[in-house]
Amino acid sequence: TSDTLDGDVALVTGASSGIGAATARSLADEGAAVALAARREERLEELAEEIESAGGEALVVPTDATDESQVRGMVEETVEQLGGLDVLVNNAGVMLLEPIADADPDNWQQMLDLNVQGLMVASQAALGHMQEKGAGDIVNLSSVAGRKAYAGSGGYNASKFGVTAFSEALRQEVVDSDIRVTTIEPGAVDTELAEHIPDEDQKEQIEGMMDEMEPLRPEDIARSIRFAVTQPSHVDINELLIRPTRQE
Ligand code: NDP
């Protein structure tokens, strides 16, 4: 893909809220037909209507990204209905912060299944189509927590370090094509992410941090993703680390 997304197809996971919804809007605004994936179908329908009434094209693909066959189906449906796949944004994720000693291993599993395995399977499924064309963009949502570990964040850190590592390995494997891989590493963004934190202390800490400074907005991350995928084809923005100006 090149400077504009006119005629391109983008698939965004976790498009029912936060960064994913903002990214879908932004890529549609840049001219892409967008496939919207997440579990909450009603939210996706609302967003699709909004995009279509602004003159864009959107497809709703209800998906549980922890289910391998649903993830493969999501990619196939996008290709069939929209005619290809040029940009995959692996954004769906959960942040279930808990100190290790007290953590519920099911929460670790959920983060690994969604944040890592779902993203890896989606990347693999998209790769087949992109390799046929010799071009495409895979954008993976890691985090500051994919570069820096924190007490209370062990499981989430493990998942996001995993995303960063997988993305770099993938980048090297497709280096003889115009397929680009980009890792996005946001700091604090004001979304629904913190609502699901099981540990009350961790939740309060994150909410306190959000209150003390001006966090990023989902649109700030969407703008960075748009920047990366609209570069000329010989430019791969490998990694973007984006913190609120006042985040330590
Ligand atoms: P939100 O909670 O607003 O969005 C998360 C999205 O993931 C939702 O659309 C949700 O949709 C989707 N999702 C959750 N579980 C599943 C599932 N099993 N299958 C499919 N989709 C699922 O959070 P953000 O927008 O903040 O998060 C987006 C990404 O950004 C995540 O990967 C997160 O780790 C990363 N990030 C966020 C930061 C922040 O401060 N907010 C900082 C750094 C990284 P639904 O529930 O409808 O399925």
Side-chain angles (χ1 to χ4, degrees), residues 14 16-17 19 39-40 64-65 91 114 142 156 160 186-187 189 191:
S16 59
S17 68
I19 295 168
R39 294 167 305 176
R40 287 171 294 176
D64 183 335
N91 162 79
L114 178 63
S142 178
Y156 186 64
K160 292 301 187 181
V189 188
T191 68

Side-chain angles (χ1 to χ4, degrees), residues 27-127:
L27 300 183
D29 187 52
E30 189 67 39
V34 288
L36 313 172
R39 294 167 305 176
R40 287 171 294 176
E41 192 171 348
E42 260 179 42
R43 294 260 202 130
L44 299 179
E45 294 288 357
E46 277 171 35
L47 180 57
E49 272 174 35
E50 184 195 317
I51 288 170
E52 278 162 3
S53 57
E57 184 178 3
L59 172 73
V60 170
V61 192
T63 308
D64 183 335
T66 63
D67 180 316
E68 178 176 343
S69 66
Q70 289 191 40
V71 172
R72 293 193 186 283
M74 161 188 91
V75 169
E76 290 320 307
E77 170 117 11
T78 300
V79 171
E80 272 169 33
Q81 301 285 329
L82 298 179
L85 180 56
D86 302 286
V87 179
L88 168 66
V89 183
N90 279 311
N91 162 79
V94 284
M95 179 177 74
L96 307 174
L97 303 180
E98 288 170 303
I100 293 161
D102 306 326
D104 180 348
D106 288 346
N107 289 336
W108 291 340
Q109 191 68 56
Q110 179 70 11
M111 289 190 281
L112 295 174
D113 286 348
L114 178 63
N115 303 3
V116 190
Q117 181 77 359
L119 170 149
M120 295 199 296
V121 172
S123 300
Q124 184 185 57
L127 204 52

Side-chain angles (χ1 to χ4, degrees), residues 56-236:
E57 184 178 3
L59 172 73
V60 170
V61 192
T63 308
D64 183 335
T66 63
D67 180 316
E68 178 176 343
S69 66
Q70 289 191 40
V71 172
R72 293 193 186 283
M74 161 188 91
V75 169
E76 290 320 307
E77 170 117 11
T78 300
V79 171
E80 272 169 33
Q81 301 285 329
L82 298 179
L85 180 56
D86 302 286
V87 179
L88 168 66
V89 183
N90 279 311
N91 162 79
V94 284
M95 179 177 74
L96 307 174
L97 303 180
E98 288 170 303
I100 293 161
D102 306 326
D104 180 348
D106 288 346
N107 289 336
W108 291 340
Q109 191 68 56
Q110 179 70 11
M111 289 190 281
L112 295 174
D113 286 348
L114 178 63
N115 303 3
V116 190
Q117 181 77 359
L119 170 149
M120 295 199 296
V121 172
S123 300
Q124 184 185 57
L127 204 52
H129 298 286
M130 291 180 180
Q131 279 173 327
E132 257 173 48
K133 203 170 172 181
D137 280 289
I138 297 179
V139 179
N140 291 333
L141 266 289
S142 178
S143 168
V144 167
R147 293 170 60 116
K148 201 176 161 188
Y150 301 90
S153 179
Y156 186 64
N157 284 135
S159 77
K160 292 301 187 181
F161 271 69
V163 170
T164 303
F166 177 81
S167 302
E168 173 56 15
L170 177 59
R171 190 190 68 77
Q172 291 178 26
E173 289 188 15
V174 297
V175 80
D176 59 353
S177 72
D178 285 340
I179 300 171
R180 306 185 290 199
V181 182
T182 299
T183 307
I184 306 285
E185 299 158 336
V189 188
D190 188 11
T191 68
E192 296 173 20
L193 194 71
E195 289 175 17
H196 312 290
I197 297 174
D199 182 88
E200 279 310 315
D201 289 345
Q202 289 297 322
K203 195 172 180 182
E204 274 172 31
Q205 257 187 45
I206 297 281
E207 284 168 354
M209 188 173 90
M210 294 280 194
D211 288 343
E212 271 165 30
M213 63 172 179
E214 185 178 349
L216 298 172
R217 301 182 186 112
E219 294 72 28
D220 298 322
I221 302 303
R223 201 164 56 246
S224 294
I225 293 172
R226 181 174 178 163
F227 168 74
V229 302
T230 53
Q231 295 298 312
S233 63
H234 68 290
V235 180
D236 182 347

